Protein backbone atom coordinates (compact mmCIF):
# COMPACT_ATOMS: atom_id res chain seq x y z
CA UNK A 1 0.00 0.00 0.00
CA UNK A 2 2.78 2.44 0.94
CA UNK A 3 4.70 1.51 -2.21
CA UNK A 4 1.60 2.20 -4.32
CA UNK A 5 1.33 5.74 -2.93
CA UNK A 6 4.95 6.45 -3.66
CA UNK A 7 4.61 5.22 -7.25
CA UNK A 8 1.54 7.48 -7.71
CA UNK A 9 3.46 10.52 -6.53
CA UNK A 10 6.35 9.80 -8.91
CA UNK A 11 3.92 9.40 -11.78
CA UNK A 12 2.27 12.73 -11.00
CA UNK A 13 5.66 14.48 -10.96
CA UNK A 14 6.55 13.00 -14.34
CA UNK A 15 3.31 14.25 -15.84
CA UNK A 16 3.89 17.71 -14.52
CA UNK A 17 7.40 17.74 -15.94
CA UNK A 18 6.13 16.70 -19.31
CA UNK A 19 3.65 19.57 -19.32
CA UNK A 20 6.12 22.29 -18.31
CA UNK A 21 9.19 20.86 -19.94
CA UNK A 22 11.32 21.63 -16.84
CA UNK A 23 12.17 19.43 -13.93
CA UNK A 24 12.68 21.23 -10.67
CA UNK A 25 13.78 19.54 -7.51
CA UNK A 26 12.51 20.96 -4.33
CA UNK A 27 15.17 21.47 -1.67
CA UNK A 28 15.18 19.18 1.28
CA UNK A 29 13.88 20.63 4.51
CA UNK A 30 16.46 21.95 7.00
CA UNK A 31 16.13 22.51 10.66
CA UNK A 32 16.09 26.22 11.70
CA UNK A 33 17.18 27.80 15.02
CA UNK A 34 14.41 28.85 17.30
CA UNK A 35 16.17 32.23 18.10
CA UNK A 36 15.62 35.19 15.65
CA UNK A 37 18.59 36.44 13.64
CA UNK A 38 19.29 40.28 13.96
CA UNK A 39 19.10 42.30 10.77
CA UNK A 40 22.24 43.60 9.11
CA UNK A 41 21.24 47.25 9.58
CA UNK A 42 20.66 46.78 13.28
CA UNK A 43 24.00 45.03 13.66
CA UNK A 44 25.88 47.86 11.90
CA UNK A 45 24.47 50.67 14.08
CA UNK A 46 26.70 51.59 17.03
CA UNK A 47 25.05 52.59 20.25
CA UNK A 48 26.63 55.88 21.60
CA UNK A 49 28.32 55.77 24.93
CA UNK A 50 25.95 56.73 27.70
CA UNK A 51 28.30 59.55 28.89
CA UNK A 52 28.75 61.25 25.44
CA UNK A 53 28.07 64.98 24.98
CA UNK A 54 27.89 67.45 22.11
CA UNK A 55 28.23 71.06 20.87
CA UNK A 56 25.64 73.14 19.03
CA UNK A 57 26.84 76.40 17.40
CA UNK A 58 24.71 79.44 16.57
CA UNK A 59 26.43 81.89 14.22
CA UNK A 60 25.52 85.64 14.17
CA UNK A 61 27.05 89.03 13.33
CA UNK A 62 27.28 92.25 15.38
CA UNK A 63 23.87 93.40 14.11
CA UNK A 64 22.23 90.17 15.37
CA UNK A 65 21.66 88.59 11.94
CA UNK A 66 22.36 84.84 11.56
CA UNK A 67 25.20 83.84 9.24
CA UNK A 68 24.85 80.68 7.12
CA UNK A 69 27.81 79.08 5.41
CA UNK A 70 30.36 79.68 8.18
CA UNK A 71 32.87 76.79 8.31
CA UNK A 72 34.22 75.26 11.54
CA UNK A 73 36.81 72.63 12.45
CA UNK A 74 36.78 70.79 15.81
CA UNK A 75 39.94 69.21 17.25
CA UNK A 76 40.26 67.00 20.34
CA UNK A 77 42.86 67.42 23.08
CA UNK A 78 45.44 65.47 21.03
CA UNK A 79 44.98 67.71 17.95
CA UNK A 80 43.06 65.03 16.03
CA UNK A 81 40.05 66.16 13.98
CA UNK A 82 36.82 65.41 15.84
CA UNK A 83 34.38 67.11 13.47
CA UNK A 84 33.94 69.55 10.58
CA UNK A 85 30.96 71.36 9.06
CA UNK A 86 29.09 74.52 7.92
CA UNK A 87 26.27 76.47 9.54
CA UNK A 88 22.84 75.98 7.94
CA UNK A 89 20.32 78.57 6.85
CA UNK A 90 19.50 79.27 10.50
CA UNK A 91 23.18 79.74 11.29
CA UNK A 92 23.40 76.46 13.29
CA UNK A 93 25.92 73.60 13.33
CA UNK A 94 25.92 70.58 15.70
CA UNK A 95 28.76 68.25 16.70
CA UNK A 96 27.09 65.24 18.42
CA UNK A 97 28.41 62.13 20.25
CA UNK A 98 31.58 63.70 21.63
CA UNK A 99 33.53 62.13 24.43
CA UNK A 100 33.75 64.43 27.45
CA UNK A 101 36.82 66.66 27.49
CA UNK A 102 38.32 69.87 26.11
CA UNK A 103 38.09 70.58 22.37
CA UNK A 104 39.60 73.27 20.16
CA UNK A 105 37.15 75.06 17.85
CA UNK A 106 38.47 76.86 14.75
CA UNK A 107 36.46 79.08 12.38
CA UNK A 108 38.04 78.62 8.98
CA UNK A 109 35.63 80.88 7.03
CA UNK A 110 32.94 83.40 7.96
CA UNK A 111 30.99 82.65 4.79
CA UNK A 112 30.52 86.43 4.20
CA UNK A 113 32.68 89.09 2.49
CA UNK A 114 31.62 91.63 5.15
CA UNK A 115 32.69 89.68 8.25
CA UNK A 116 35.90 88.57 9.91
CA UNK A 117 36.45 85.17 11.57
CA UNK A 118 36.75 84.90 15.34
CA UNK A 119 39.94 83.68 17.09
CA UNK A 120 40.26 79.99 18.02
CA UNK A 121 38.65 79.01 21.32
CA UNK A 122 38.43 76.04 23.69
CA UNK A 123 35.11 74.30 24.36
CA UNK A 124 34.44 71.91 27.27
CA UNK A 125 32.14 68.95 26.59
CA UNK A 126 30.41 67.51 29.66
CA UNK A 127 28.85 64.03 29.87
CA UNK A 128 25.29 63.76 28.60
CA UNK A 129 25.02 67.51 27.79
CA UNK A 130 24.90 69.30 24.44
CA UNK A 131 26.77 72.55 25.05
CA UNK A 132 25.23 75.62 23.30
CA UNK A 133 27.70 78.12 21.87
CA UNK A 134 26.87 81.47 20.21
CA UNK A 135 29.63 82.93 18.04
CA UNK A 136 29.47 86.54 16.77
CA UNK A 137 31.59 87.48 13.77
CA UNK A 138 32.75 91.13 13.72
CA UNK A 139 32.31 93.32 10.65
CA UNK A 140 35.40 94.07 8.62
CA UNK A 141 36.91 97.51 9.39
CA UNK A 142 36.42 100.40 6.99
CA UNK A 143 39.54 102.00 5.47
CA UNK A 144 39.68 105.77 6.07
CA UNK A 145 41.70 108.27 3.99
CA UNK A 146 42.07 111.69 5.69
CA UNK A 147 42.89 114.83 3.65
CA UNK A 148 43.53 118.39 4.91
CA UNK A 149 43.24 121.17 2.31
CA UNK A 150 43.56 124.94 1.94
CA UNK A 151 40.00 126.25 1.56
CA UNK A 152 41.02 128.60 -1.28
CA UNK A 153 43.68 126.76 -3.31
CA UNK A 154 42.91 123.13 -2.42
CA UNK A 155 46.56 122.56 -1.49
CA UNK A 156 47.11 119.53 0.77
CA UNK A 157 48.30 120.58 4.23
CA UNK A 158 50.50 118.58 6.65
CA UNK A 159 50.14 118.74 10.42
CA UNK A 160 46.34 118.48 10.67
CA UNK A 161 45.14 116.27 13.57
CA UNK A 162 41.54 115.00 13.83
CA UNK A 163 39.53 112.67 16.06
CA UNK A 164 36.99 110.27 14.50
CA UNK A 165 34.29 108.55 16.53
CA UNK A 166 30.64 107.67 16.97
CA UNK A 167 28.33 108.86 19.71
CA UNK A 168 30.47 109.99 22.65
CA UNK A 169 33.35 107.60 21.90
CA UNK A 170 36.53 108.48 19.99
CA UNK A 171 37.61 105.51 17.87
CA UNK A 172 40.53 106.85 15.81
CA UNK A 173 43.02 109.76 15.82
CA UNK A 174 44.85 110.69 12.60
CA UNK A 175 47.50 113.34 11.72
CA UNK A 176 48.30 114.26 8.11
CA UNK A 177 51.92 113.75 7.10
CA UNK A 178 54.19 115.61 4.70
CA UNK A 179 51.88 114.77 1.78
CA UNK A 180 48.84 116.18 3.58
CA UNK A 181 47.13 112.76 3.98
CA UNK A 182 46.76 109.98 6.58
CA UNK A 183 45.13 106.51 6.56
CA UNK A 184 43.69 104.20 9.19
CA UNK A 185 41.18 101.42 9.90
CA UNK A 186 37.86 102.38 11.45
CA UNK A 187 35.85 99.66 13.27
CA UNK A 188 32.19 99.47 12.21
CA UNK A 189 29.23 97.86 14.01
CA UNK A 190 26.66 97.67 11.20
CA UNK A 191 26.36 97.64 7.44
CA UNK A 192 26.17 101.45 7.50
CA UNK A 193 27.56 103.31 10.51
CA UNK A 194 27.47 107.07 11.10
CA UNK A 195 30.68 108.74 12.31
CA UNK A 196 31.82 112.28 13.24
CA UNK A 197 35.18 113.94 12.63
CA UNK A 198 36.54 116.93 14.58
CA UNK A 199 39.83 118.76 14.02
CA UNK A 200 41.82 119.25 17.23
CA UNK A 201 44.98 120.77 15.71
CA UNK A 202 45.22 123.01 12.63
CA UNK A 203 48.16 123.08 10.19
CA UNK A 204 50.81 125.75 10.84
CA UNK A 205 49.64 129.18 9.67
CA UNK A 206 45.94 128.16 9.50
CA UNK A 207 42.91 128.62 11.73
CA UNK A 208 41.30 125.62 13.44
CA UNK A 209 38.27 124.15 11.66
CA UNK A 210 35.86 124.17 14.60
CA UNK A 211 32.64 122.59 13.19
CA UNK A 212 32.15 118.81 13.47
CA UNK A 213 31.55 116.92 10.20
CA UNK A 214 29.69 113.60 9.80
CA UNK A 215 30.03 110.73 7.31
CA UNK A 216 28.92 107.10 6.86
CA UNK A 217 31.09 104.00 6.35
CA UNK A 218 30.35 100.33 5.64
CA UNK A 219 32.23 97.08 6.43
CA UNK A 220 35.43 96.71 4.41
CA UNK A 221 34.61 99.76 2.28
CA UNK A 222 37.07 102.65 1.67
CA UNK A 223 35.95 106.17 2.65
CA UNK A 224 37.62 109.59 2.20
CA UNK A 225 37.29 112.35 4.80
CA UNK A 226 38.37 115.93 3.92
CA UNK A 227 38.76 118.93 6.25
CA UNK A 228 39.49 122.46 4.98
CA UNK A 229 41.33 125.29 6.72
CA UNK A 230 41.55 129.05 6.16
CA UNK A 231 44.81 130.93 6.50
CA UNK A 232 45.32 132.89 9.70
CA UNK A 233 44.84 136.65 9.15
CA UNK A 234 48.11 138.55 9.66
CA UNK A 235 48.20 141.95 11.45
CA UNK A 236 50.61 144.51 9.83
CA UNK A 237 53.59 145.42 11.99
CA UNK A 238 53.65 149.03 13.30
CA UNK A 239 55.95 151.56 11.55
CA UNK A 240 58.83 152.58 13.84
CA UNK A 241 58.45 156.19 12.61
CA UNK A 242 54.98 156.30 14.15
CA UNK A 243 56.33 155.89 17.65
CA UNK A 244 56.20 159.12 19.78
CA UNK A 245 59.53 160.77 20.54
CA UNK A 246 60.33 162.32 23.91
CA UNK A 247 62.53 165.43 23.70
CA UNK A 248 64.37 166.64 26.83
CA UNK A 249 63.07 169.87 28.33
CA UNK A 250 65.21 173.03 28.33
CA UNK A 251 65.71 173.00 32.11
CA UNK A 252 67.30 169.93 33.65
CA UNK A 253 65.93 168.61 36.85
CA UNK A 254 67.24 170.37 39.98
CA UNK A 255 70.01 168.37 41.66
CA UNK A 256 69.55 167.22 45.19
CA UNK A 257 70.05 169.91 47.80
CA UNK A 258 73.45 170.05 49.42
CA UNK A 259 74.08 170.77 53.09
CA UNK A 260 74.09 174.46 54.06
CA UNK A 261 77.23 176.49 54.91
CA UNK A 262 76.55 176.19 58.61
CA UNK A 263 76.60 172.42 58.38
CA UNK A 264 79.60 172.01 56.07
CA UNK A 265 81.62 175.11 56.81
CA UNK A 266 82.03 175.75 53.10
CA UNK A 267 80.83 178.46 50.80
CA UNK A 268 77.27 178.63 49.55
CA UNK A 269 76.70 177.26 46.06
CA UNK A 270 76.25 179.85 43.33
CA UNK A 271 72.77 180.96 42.38
CA UNK A 272 73.27 179.80 38.82
CA UNK A 273 72.11 176.30 39.73
CA UNK A 274 75.39 174.69 38.71
CA UNK A 275 76.27 173.55 42.24
CA UNK A 276 79.87 174.83 41.82
CA UNK A 277 81.28 177.43 44.29
CA UNK A 278 82.08 180.88 42.74
CA UNK A 279 85.71 180.66 43.74
CA UNK A 280 86.16 177.50 41.71
CA UNK A 281 83.94 178.36 38.78
CA UNK A 282 85.63 181.66 37.75
CA UNK A 283 88.89 183.53 38.78
CA UNK A 284 88.39 186.78 40.66
CA UNK A 285 89.39 190.24 39.39
CA UNK A 286 92.13 190.52 42.01
CA UNK A 287 93.80 187.39 40.74
CA UNK A 288 93.89 188.25 37.06
CA UNK A 289 93.73 192.08 37.19
CA UNK A 290 90.65 192.23 35.03
CA UNK A 291 87.45 194.23 35.50
CA UNK A 292 84.45 192.38 36.88
CA UNK A 293 82.42 193.58 33.89
CA UNK A 294 84.54 191.45 31.57
CA UNK A 295 83.73 188.20 33.39
CA UNK A 296 81.27 186.16 31.33
CA UNK A 297 78.16 185.08 33.15
CA UNK A 298 76.75 181.63 33.10
CA UNK A 299 73.47 181.61 31.17
CA UNK A 300 70.46 180.49 33.17
CA UNK A 301 69.30 176.96 32.55
CA UNK A 302 72.56 175.72 31.05
CA UNK A 303 74.55 172.85 32.36
CA UNK A 304 77.29 173.36 34.95
CA UNK A 305 80.61 174.84 33.67
CA UNK A 306 83.64 172.59 33.75
CA UNK A 307 86.17 175.49 33.78
CA UNK A 308 87.33 174.96 30.21
CA UNK A 309 85.98 178.40 29.08
CA UNK A 310 88.18 180.21 31.74
CA UNK A 311 91.46 178.88 30.35
CA UNK A 312 92.30 182.03 28.25
CA UNK A 313 91.84 184.32 31.22
CA UNK A 314 94.03 182.19 33.44
CA UNK A 315 96.74 182.13 30.76
CA UNK A 316 96.55 185.94 30.42
CA UNK A 317 96.82 186.43 34.16
CA UNK A 318 99.83 184.15 34.33
CA UNK A 319 101.53 186.17 31.61
CA UNK A 320 101.01 189.41 33.52
CA UNK A 321 102.48 187.86 36.65
CA UNK A 322 105.56 186.73 34.74
CA UNK A 323 106.01 190.22 33.27
CA UNK A 324 105.62 191.86 36.68
CA UNK A 325 108.24 189.50 38.10
CA UNK A 326 110.68 190.38 35.34
CA UNK A 327 110.23 194.12 35.98
CA UNK A 328 110.80 193.63 39.71
CA UNK A 329 113.99 191.71 39.00
CA UNK A 330 115.35 194.47 36.76
CA UNK A 331 114.64 197.15 39.38
CA UNK A 332 116.37 195.09 42.07
CA UNK A 333 119.50 194.73 39.96
CA UNK A 334 119.61 198.46 39.26
CA UNK A 335 119.40 199.29 42.95
CA UNK A 336 122.22 196.93 43.68
CA UNK A 337 124.52 198.47 41.05
CA UNK A 338 123.87 202.07 42.36
CA UNK A 339 125.34 201.40 45.90
CA UNK A 340 129.08 202.78 46.47
CA UNK A 341 131.98 200.35 46.51
CA UNK A 342 133.63 199.89 49.97
CA UNK A 343 136.93 201.76 50.69
CA UNK A 344 140.01 199.58 50.48
CA UNK A 345 141.81 201.71 53.10
CA UNK A 346 139.53 200.53 55.77
CA UNK A 347 140.89 197.07 55.48
CA UNK A 348 143.65 195.88 57.82
CA UNK A 349 147.02 195.55 56.18
Amino acid sequence: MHARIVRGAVRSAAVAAAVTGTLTWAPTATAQSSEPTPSASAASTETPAPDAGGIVITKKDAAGDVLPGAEFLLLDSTGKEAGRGKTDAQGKLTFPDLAPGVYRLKETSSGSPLHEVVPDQDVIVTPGVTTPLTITDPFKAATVLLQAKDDKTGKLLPGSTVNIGTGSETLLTLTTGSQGTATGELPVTSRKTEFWVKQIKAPAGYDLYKPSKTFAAGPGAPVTVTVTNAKTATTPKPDPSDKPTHEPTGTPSTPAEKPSDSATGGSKPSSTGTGTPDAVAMPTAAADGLNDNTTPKTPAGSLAHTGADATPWIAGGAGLLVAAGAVALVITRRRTSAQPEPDDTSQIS
Side-chain angles (χ1 to χ4, degrees), residues 311-325:
T311 301
W313 305 106
I314 296 174
L320 293 176
L321 291 176
V322 172

PDB file of all heavy atoms in Angstrom, residues 311-325:
ATOM      1  N   THR A 311      90.027 179.127  30.625  1.00  0.00           N
ATOM      2  CA  THR A 311      91.457 178.877  30.353  1.00  0.00           C
ATOM      3  C   THR A 311      92.157 180.093  29.751  1.00  0.00           C
ATOM      4  O   THR A 311      93.276 180.447  30.157  1.00  0.00           O
ATOM      5  CB  THR A 311      91.611 177.669  29.428  1.00  0.00           C
ATOM      6  OG1 THR A 311      91.005 176.535  30.058  1.00  0.00           O
ATOM      7  CG2 THR A 311      93.061 177.367  29.139  1.00  0.00           C
ATOM      8  N   PRO A 312      91.583 180.846  28.789  1.00  0.00           N
ATOM      9  CA  PRO A 312      92.299 182.028  28.245  1.00  0.00           C
ATOM     10  C   PRO A 312      92.564 183.088  29.299  1.00  0.00           C
ATOM     11  O   PRO A 312      93.628 183.726  29.309  1.00  0.00           O
ATOM     12  CB  PRO A 312      91.363 182.535  27.160  1.00  0.00           C
ATOM     13  CG  PRO A 312      90.528 181.355  26.776  1.00  0.00           C
ATOM     14  CD  PRO A 312      90.349 180.567  28.033  1.00  0.00           C
ATOM     15  N   TRP A 313      91.639 183.290  30.188  1.00  0.00           N
ATOM     16  CA  TRP A 313      91.840 184.319  31.219  1.00  0.00           C
ATOM     17  C   TRP A 313      92.942 183.910  32.198  1.00  0.00           C
ATOM     18  O   TRP A 313      93.754 184.736  32.621  1.00  0.00           O
ATOM     19  CB  TRP A 313      90.532 184.547  31.985  1.00  0.00           C
ATOM     20  CG  TRP A 313      89.375 184.885  31.072  1.00  0.00           C
ATOM     21  CD1 TRP A 313      88.350 184.087  30.738  1.00  0.00           C
ATOM     22  CD2 TRP A 313      89.195 186.098  30.380  1.00  0.00           C
ATOM     23  NE1 TRP A 313      87.493 184.708  29.879  1.00  0.00           N
ATOM     24  CE2 TRP A 313      87.993 185.987  29.630  1.00  0.00           C
ATOM     25  CE3 TRP A 313      89.909 187.333  30.302  1.00  0.00           C
ATOM     26  CZ2 TRP A 313      87.498 187.020  28.834  1.00  0.00           C
ATOM     27  CZ3 TRP A 313      89.382 188.346  29.514  1.00  0.00           C
ATOM     28  CH2 TRP A 313      88.212 188.193  28.790  1.00  0.00           C
ATOM     29  N   ILE A 314      92.974 182.656  32.535  1.00  0.00           N
ATOM     30  CA  ILE A 314      94.033 182.185  33.439  1.00  0.00           C
ATOM     31  C   ILE A 314      95.399 182.334  32.784  1.00  0.00           C
ATOM     32  O   ILE A 314      96.391 182.761  33.388  1.00  0.00           O
ATOM     33  CB  ILE A 314      93.783 180.729  33.844  1.00  0.00           C
ATOM     34  CG1 ILE A 314      92.475 180.633  34.659  1.00  0.00           C
ATOM     35  CG2 ILE A 314      94.933 180.159  34.650  1.00  0.00           C
ATOM     36  CD1 ILE A 314      92.053 179.224  34.982  1.00  0.00           C
ATOM     37  N   ALA A 315      95.452 181.994  31.476  1.00  0.00           N
ATOM     38  CA  ALA A 315      96.740 182.127  30.765  1.00  0.00           C
ATOM     39  C   ALA A 315      97.177 183.588  30.696  1.00  0.00           C
ATOM     40  O   ALA A 315      98.361 183.926  30.855  1.00  0.00           O
ATOM     41  CB  ALA A 315      96.613 181.541  29.358  1.00  0.00           C
ATOM     42  N   GLY A 316      96.194 184.510  30.466  1.00  0.00           N
ATOM     43  CA  GLY A 316      96.554 185.938  30.419  1.00  0.00           C
ATOM     44  C   GLY A 316      97.046 186.448  31.758  1.00  0.00           C
ATOM     45  O   GLY A 316      98.020 187.221  31.848  1.00  0.00           O
ATOM     46  N   GLY A 317      96.386 186.021  32.821  1.00  0.00           N
ATOM     47  CA  GLY A 317      96.816 186.435  34.162  1.00  0.00           C
ATOM     48  C   GLY A 317      98.198 185.930  34.494  1.00  0.00           C
ATOM     49  O   GLY A 317      99.032 186.623  35.101  1.00  0.00           O
ATOM     50  N   ALA A 318      98.489 184.710  34.081  1.00  0.00           N
ATOM     51  CA  ALA A 318      99.827 184.151  34.334  1.00  0.00           C
ATOM     52  C   ALA A 318     100.894 184.925  33.583  1.00  0.00           C
ATOM     53  O   ALA A 318     102.006 185.191  34.091  1.00  0.00           O
ATOM     54  CB  ALA A 318      99.853 182.680  33.929  1.00  0.00           C
ATOM     55  N   GLY A 319     100.560 185.374  32.377  1.00  0.00           N
ATOM     56  CA  GLY A 319     101.529 186.171  31.607  1.00  0.00           C
ATOM     57  C   GLY A 319     101.831 187.506  32.276  1.00  0.00           C
ATOM     58  O   GLY A 319     102.971 187.983  32.312  1.00  0.00           O
ATOM     59  N   LEU A 320     100.800 188.141  32.810  1.00  0.00           N
ATOM     60  CA  LEU A 320     101.006 189.409  33.519  1.00  0.00           C
ATOM     61  C   LEU A 320     101.866 189.225  34.749  1.00  0.00           C
ATOM     62  O   LEU A 320     102.743 190.059  35.048  1.00  0.00           O
ATOM     63  CB  LEU A 320      99.648 190.004  33.911  1.00  0.00           C
ATOM     64  CG  LEU A 320      98.761 190.478  32.737  1.00  0.00           C
ATOM     65  CD1 LEU A 320      97.416 190.957  33.253  1.00  0.00           C
ATOM     66  CD2 LEU A 320      99.468 191.605  31.974  1.00  0.00           C
ATOM     67  N   LEU A 321     101.656 188.128  35.460  1.00  0.00           N
ATOM     68  CA  LEU A 321     102.479 187.858  36.652  1.00  0.00           C
ATOM     69  C   LEU A 321     103.940 187.658  36.281  1.00  0.00           C
ATOM     70  O   LEU A 321     104.871 188.137  36.965  1.00  0.00           O
ATOM     71  CB  LEU A 321     101.940 186.636  37.380  1.00  0.00           C
ATOM     72  CG  LEU A 321     100.560 186.809  38.059  1.00  0.00           C
ATOM     73  CD1 LEU A 321     100.095 185.497  38.659  1.00  0.00           C
ATOM     74  CD2 LEU A 321     100.655 187.882  39.150  1.00  0.00           C
ATOM     75  N   VAL A 322     104.158 186.943  35.188  1.00  0.00           N
ATOM     76  CA  VAL A 322     105.558 186.728  34.743  1.00  0.00           C
ATOM     77  C   VAL A 322     106.211 188.052  34.362  1.00  0.00           C
ATOM     78  O   VAL A 322     107.366 188.349  34.693  1.00  0.00           O
ATOM     79  CB  VAL A 322     105.598 185.736  33.567  1.00  0.00           C
ATOM     80  CG1 VAL A 322     107.002 185.657  32.981  1.00  0.00           C
ATOM     81  CG2 VAL A 322     105.141 184.334  34.026  1.00  0.00           C
ATOM     82  N   ALA A 323     105.454 188.906  33.661  1.00  0.00           N
ATOM     83  CA  ALA A 323     106.008 190.217  33.266  1.00  0.00           C
ATOM     84  C   ALA A 323     106.311 191.077  34.485  1.00  0.00           C
ATOM     85  O   ALA A 323     107.348 191.762  34.572  1.00  0.00           O
ATOM     86  CB  ALA A 323     105.027 190.922  32.353  1.00  0.00           C
ATOM     87  N   ALA A 324     105.388 191.074  35.459  1.00  0.00           N
ATOM     88  CA  ALA A 324     105.617 191.856  36.681  1.00  0.00           C
ATOM     89  C   ALA A 324     106.837 191.357  37.423  1.00  0.00           C
ATOM     90  O   ALA A 324     107.638 192.136  37.970  1.00  0.00           O
ATOM     91  CB  ALA A 324     104.384 191.785  37.572  1.00  0.00           C
ATOM     92  N   GLY A 325     107.053 190.073  37.432  1.00  0.00           N
ATOM     93  CA  GLY A 325     108.238 189.504  38.104  1.00  0.00           C
ATOM     94  C   GLY A 325     109.517 189.926  37.420  1.00  0.00           C
ATOM     95  O   GLY A 325     110.551 190.210  38.060  1.00  0.00           O
TER      96      GLY A 325
END
